[in-house]
Amino acid sequence: MLRLLPVFVLILYSNVLPAQEKTFRINTLPDTAQASHLMLQARDIRDISLDSAIVLAKKALIISKKANEPLYIIRATLDLGAYQYEQKAYGQCKSLYTYLLQNYSRELTKSKSLLALVYNNMANVHLKQEQLDSAIYYYYQSLEAIKKKGIENKPMQSLVYSNLGAALAISAQQKQALYYLGEALNLTRQLKDTNLMAQNILNIGITHEDTRNYETALTFYKDALKLFAVKKNIRNIQSTYRTIGEAYDKIGKYQTALAYYDSATNTDKEKAARNAGLQIRYGDIYKQTGDYSKAIGYYESALKLMPLEGSFLGKPVALYALAECYHAINDNARAYTYQKAYSDLRDSILNEEKIKTMNQLEVKYRTTEQKKKLVNQDFLITRQEKALLQKNAWLGGISLGSLLLLSLLFSLYRNHRHKHMLQKAEMASMQQQQEIVQLRALMQGEENERARIAQELHDGIGSLIAAARMHLDIFKGNKELPGYASSYKSGLNLLDEAYQDLRNTAHNLIPEQLLVNGFSEGIKEYCKKISKHDTFSVQCQTIGSPPALDAEKSLSLYRIVQELIHNALKHGEANEVVVEIAGDGQHTRINVEDNGKGWESAQDSSSCGIGFRNLRQRIKALGGTMEVDSRKDVGTTVYLTFEKKDAYS
């Protein structure tokens, strides 16, 4: 998701501000005239020398502060923040924007767009630091600032919609991301802003790719490429060629992917030769097609380029791939060297991620505390206003006479009773909603833990076993083995079996077939995998055309069906289980039937126990219902039903 980047506007006044805010207020004072001149100079030279632009912007800010001109201070600060963002000085950017919000909130609020712009730029900084919650919060604040003014500023709205969509996509909220990116695209079409239109189309494609809708993603990528070509934007053309190549690589069309990588290279050969990411992509293609010598050349070239780029994001990928390539050509000594380098780097990255997570939690805590203070202030104001309204109501009632007073009292009683009933219903609804949220959080936590364990097994223990296997392979073929050769070979076979068992365990924790081909195919694959013809049979049948489920609900339902099958085999002592998946226009139905020992209705509580109660709660959290039909010595059938609006997006 790091390919999805916010649209950060450096030339603030010509792109998103209304016409009346693009120019400075006429002022003949020498200080303000000098500040204006310095800011314009900084913008002219920022592409040539960013350091010089920063020096000029700082001078303009100092002069504006001495002149005590708020508008000049705000604009000089915004310019300086934009240049420092380009230099990746994100901490200094935050300080500048916080300074504006704390000291010039009144002046910012008077403007039709400046407050929205400050919030947008603050959000961009948080997004760059991967503080997603804070970034999304500030983007929403930016939209709120635009709405409060009730202005028609399509460039500003388009900018914020685009950035918010990117942030939501990075935080894996693809459905909401597509909505905001779509809104941004509609506005850029109205504005006929070709570059921003192409960027939004590209981001929509990336969001579809992240949900494995590769064909849809490719359609958007190619549309974006046409628009970038119109503007002859070489940088974006090259990047889009590479993005298209990556999508074809993921669906196994390696020659087509290679052709697009070649197009990316031919667009700007000098820049391509310095691009570590593109070198890794070439290496991936040649490794997958078995040309290991070429793959090694590209991966090693990428490692050499990374220090020059100042980016090491692809280093673990390159190291691990080199270990695999050298092992494939039986150069096990080098394979072991790269495998060890990969393991050491991975441990270092994990430690850094833990520290980063703690810092993000600290930021989130502080943000939440600030929001809490604001809510409490709003509550006190609302209570004071309510008290004042009640007092005025009583005075008005007394003045109108006893008859009106009686009528008012009756009305107050009725309103109080109605309010009490509404509060009671609202409390019940909130309690139920809280239970559902807690259950969903618990389910998500379980999946995250499964993913973590699977990752640890595959990358941690799996890597160690693979490294041990490579290390032992060094002795193979060098000379004749002594008398214990058979034990040595048996040891290698045991390592291979252990590695395969570990991979199977990791894949069971995170069902790859489910994520790639959807719920129905994932369940079929699981049933096929656990069936043992000489012991028990588990079959899966689909009736009609079951609707497509989104990734989150697919995984949740997969776990529920998995548990029902497990209960049937272990507790029900069944030797045959049939899973039926069906759907119509309004419902998704799943039936799990077994020929186990079953139970009488009187034994329901003891036979079902906590397990079935937990299942009911999880199904309720997904908006579904569960019915159980069990007969002693005959078997059990569990019926699951989900309405269309709850079962899939």
Side-chain angles (χ1 to χ4, degrees):
M1 290 307 305
L2 292 175
R3 293 172 296 165
L4 272 161
L5 297 176
V7 182
F8 193 91
V9 177
L10 284 173
I11 306 176
L12 304 170
Y13 314 119
S14 63
N15 287 24
V16 296
L17 295 182
Q20 61 269 36
E21 294 190 48
K22 287 181 182 177
T23 55
F24 292 108
R25 177 171 57 84
I26 296 173
N27 196 322
T28 56
L29 293 174
D31 288 342
T32 52
Q34 186 182 359
S36 302
H37 179 68
L38 288 169
M39 280 187 264
L40 292 172
Q41 271 189 314
R43 290 177 215 164
D44 288 339
I45 68 168
R46 69 175 179 83
D47 290 330
I48 302 169
S49 174
L50 197 56
D51 289 334
S52 300
I54 289 174
V55 171
L56 293 173
K58 285 181 178 178
K59 287 182 180 178
L61 180 57
I62 292 169
I63 293 169
S64 300
K65 285 181 178 179
K66 285 182 179 178
N68 196 24
E69 284 286 338
L71 183 59
Y72 284 79
I73 293 170
I74 290 169
R75 290 179 169 174
T77 304
L78 283 170
D79 275 6
L80 180 58
Y83 305 144
Q84 288 181 334
Y85 179 92
E86 282 273 291
Q87 277 202 332
K88 301 181 181 179
Y90 303 127
Q92 295 176 37
C93 288
K94 272 187 187 177
S95 299
L96 289 171
Y97 299 138
T98 302
Y99 168 77
L100 287 180
L101 291 170
Q102 289 178 347
N103 297 284
Y104 295 95
S105 59
R106 182 177 298 177
E107 288 80 2
L108 289 170
T109 305
K110 288 178 183 177
S111 164
K112 291 186 176 181
S113 299
L114 284 175
L115 179 60
L117 196 57
V118 172
Y119 278 133
N120 173 80
N121 291 1
M122 176 72 96
N124 287 346
V125 175
H126 282 281
L127 190 61
K128 276 290 189 181
Q129 294 183 312
E130 298 182 28
Q131 296 167 355
L132 295 177
D133 290 342
S134 298
I136 291 169
Y137 167 76
Y138 281 113
Y139 284 134
Y140 279 123
Q141 288 292 100
S142 183
L143 286 180
E144 191 65 27
I146 295 171
K147 290 177 183 176
K148 279 183 179 178
K149 282 293 178 184
I151 57 175
E152 182 72 11
N153 186 345
K154 290 180 181 178
M156 187 74 233
Q157 284 176 291
S158 169
L159 175 74
V160 180
Y161 278 144
S162 180
N163 290 347
L164 178 57
L168 290 167
I170 293 170
S171 62
Q173 300 179 55
Q174 274 78 19
K175 189 174 181 180
Q176 297 94 319
L178 287 173
Y179 168 77
Y180 284 108
L181 290 171
E183 291 293 306
L185 181 58
N186 290 336
L187 287 171
T188 52
R189 280 174 174 157
Q190 295 174 30
L191 295 166
K192 298 181 180 179
D193 187 333
T194 305
N195 272 327
L196 196 52
M197 192 189 312
Q199 171 120 22
N200 282 312
I201 291 172
L202 187 66
N203 282 353
I204 291 171
I206 293 171
T207 306
H208 279 293
E209 184 181 330
D210 288 331
T211 56
R212 294 180 173 82
N213 294 322
Y214 296 111
E215 296 300 331
T216 305
L218 283 166
T219 301
F220 281 101
Y221 292 156
K222 291 173 183 178
D223 287 345
L225 184 61
K226 292 175 185 176
L227 291 174
F228 285 136
V230 170
K231 285 292 184 178
K232 297 181 180 179
N233 191 323
I234 300 300
R235 178 182 176 184
N236 286 332
I237 290 171
Q238 186 178 58
S239 174
T240 307
Y241 272 131
R242 175 181 155 184
T243 300
I244 296 172
E246 289 171 3
Y248 277 116
D249 185 359
K250 289 177 182 177
I251 59 177
K253 295 184 178 180
Y254 302 129
Q255 293 307 315
T256 307
L258 189 59
Y260 275 100
Y261 292 152
D262 287 342
S263 296
T265 299
N266 294 331
T267 302
D268 188 340
K269 291 183 179 180
E270 185 179 346
K271 186 176 179 182
R274 300 194 308 268
N275 190 315
L278 185 57
Q279 304 307 307
I280 288 175
R281 296 299 169 228
Y282 272 115
D284 289 344
I285 292 292
Y286 287 115
K287 179 168 75 75
Q288 287 156 347
T289 55
D291 193 342
Y292 298 111
S293 297
K294 277 190 176 180
I296 287 169
Y298 280 109
Y299 287 133
E300 291 183 340
S301 173
L303 288 176
K304 291 176 184 176
L305 288 169
M306 286 174 192
L308 301 176
E309 289 185 345
S311 173
F312 296 89
L313 291 174
K315 190 171 182 179
V317 175
L319 290 173
Y320 192 80
L322 280 166
E324 290 185 318
C325 288
Y326 276 116
H327 180 61
I329 62 174
N330 294 320
D331 189 344
N332 294 302
R334 289 190 183 180
Y336 177 72
T337 300
Y338 280 113
Q339 179 70 33
K340 187 176 185 307
Y342 164 76
S343 298
D344 292 343
L345 179 61
R346 182 177 165 277
D347 290 341
S348 173
I349 291 171
L350 285 175
N351 289 332
E352 289 178 5
E353 286 180 350
K354 287 177 183 177
I355 294 170
K356 187 184 292 184
T357 300
M358 292 300 295
N359 291 336
Q360 288 176 351
L361 288 173
E362 176 69 17
V363 171
K364 189 173 182 180
Y365 167 76
R366 291 179 181 175
T367 304
T368 304
E369 284 294 308
Q370 187 64 28
K371 291 178 185 177
K372 182 180 177 182
K373 289 179 182 178
L374 293 173
V375 169
N376 287 338
Q377 289 175 0
D378 290 341
F379 173 74
L380 290 173
I381 293 170
T382 303
R383 190 166 66 177
Q384 290 171 357
E385 290 176 349
K386 183 179 178 182
L388 184 61
L389 287 172
Q390 287 177 340
K391 182 178 179 181
N392 290 339
W394 279 108
L395 291 173
I398 293 171
S399 65
L400 289 175
S402 59
L403 183 61
L404 189 56
L405 179 61
L406 288 173
S407 175
L408 180 61
L409 287 171
F410 177 73
S411 176
L412 287 172
Y413 168 74
R414 187 172 61 183
N415 287 340
H416 176 74
R417 183 179 177 187
H418 182 61
K419 183 179 179 182
H420 178 72
M421 292 173 67
L422 283 175
Q423 287 177 338
K424 189 175 180 180
E426 186 177 355
M427 287 295 291
S429 175
M430 287 175 63
Q431 185 176 1
Q432 186 180 31
Q433 186 64 27
Q434 187 176 8
E435 290 176 1
I436 290 173
V437 170
Q438 289 173 345
L439 280 168
R440 282 180 174 162
L442 180 62
M443 290 158 64
Q444 187 61 45
E446 290 176 352
E447 291 305 328
N448 290 340
E449 183 63 12
R450 284 191 179 99
R452 185 189 68 78
I453 293 171
Q455 187 76 14
E456 287 293 332
L457 287 174
H458 187 275
D459 293 346
I461 302 172
S463 296
L464 289 175
I465 294 176
R469 184 66 167 79
M470 292 176 191
H471 201 60
L472 291 173
D473 272 350
I474 294 173
F475 299 102
K476 190 194 306 183
N478 291 342
K479 58 183 178 179
E480 289 188 7
L481 294 171
Y484 50 83
S486 60
S487 298
Y488 169 79
K489 291 177 181 178
S490 297
L492 288 181
N493 291 335
L494 287 172
L495 273 177
D496 289 338
E497 289 179 17
Y499 183 67
Q500 190 58 46
D501 287 346
L502 186 140
R503 281 175 57 87
N504 291 338
T505 302
H507 290 162
N508 284 337
L509 286 169
I510 298 297
E512 186 175 348
Q513 187 70 19
L514 172 80
L515 299 177
V516 174
N517 296 323
F519 175 70
S520 299
E521 292 302 318
I523 290 294
K524 283 182 181 178
E525 183 68 20
Y526 174 72
C527 293
K528 186 188 300 182
K529 188 182 295 183
I530 67 169
S531 287
K532 293 185 179 179
H533 297 297
D534 56 343
T535 308
F536 56 81
S537 169
V538 183
Q539 301 178 24
C540 179
Q541 303 171 354
T542 55
I543 301 173
S545 300
L549 303 171
D550 65 34
E552 181 183 352
K553 292 184 176 64
S554 290
L555 194 53
S556 298
L557 291 184
Y558 179 89
R559 296 301 183 198
I560 289 168
V561 173
Q562 198 176 32
E563 186 169 346
L564 288 171
I565 294 172
H566 173 77
N567 288 342
L569 297 174
K570 183 177 180 181
H571 303 297
E573 299 178 7
N575 56 27
E576 289 185 11
V577 180
V578 177
V579 180
E580 290 184 353
I581 304 171
D584 54 29
Q586 296 299 321
H587 301 88
T588 297
R589 294 184 176 86
I590 305 168
N591 303 333
V592 181
E593 182 179 358
D594 68 66
N595 66 344
K597 62 184 181 181
W599 64 79
E600 299 290 356
S601 58
Q603 296 176 308
D604 181 69
S605 60
S606 61
S607 299
C608 294
I610 296 173
F612 264 58
R613 287 200 295 274
N614 288 341
L615 273 176
R616 288 185 189 278
Q617 289 179 330
R618 288 162 63 187
I619 291 163
K620 182 180 178 182
L622 295 171
T625 61
M626 180 176 84
E627 295 181 10
V628 182
D629 179 15
S630 184
R631 300 179 187 179
K632 190 173 179 61
D633 299 326
V634 175
T636 302
T637 304
V638 179
Y639 303 93
L640 308 179
T641 305
F642 299 87
E643 290 187 14
K644 179 178 179 180
K645 63 180 180 180
D646 295 313
Y648 54 94
S649 58

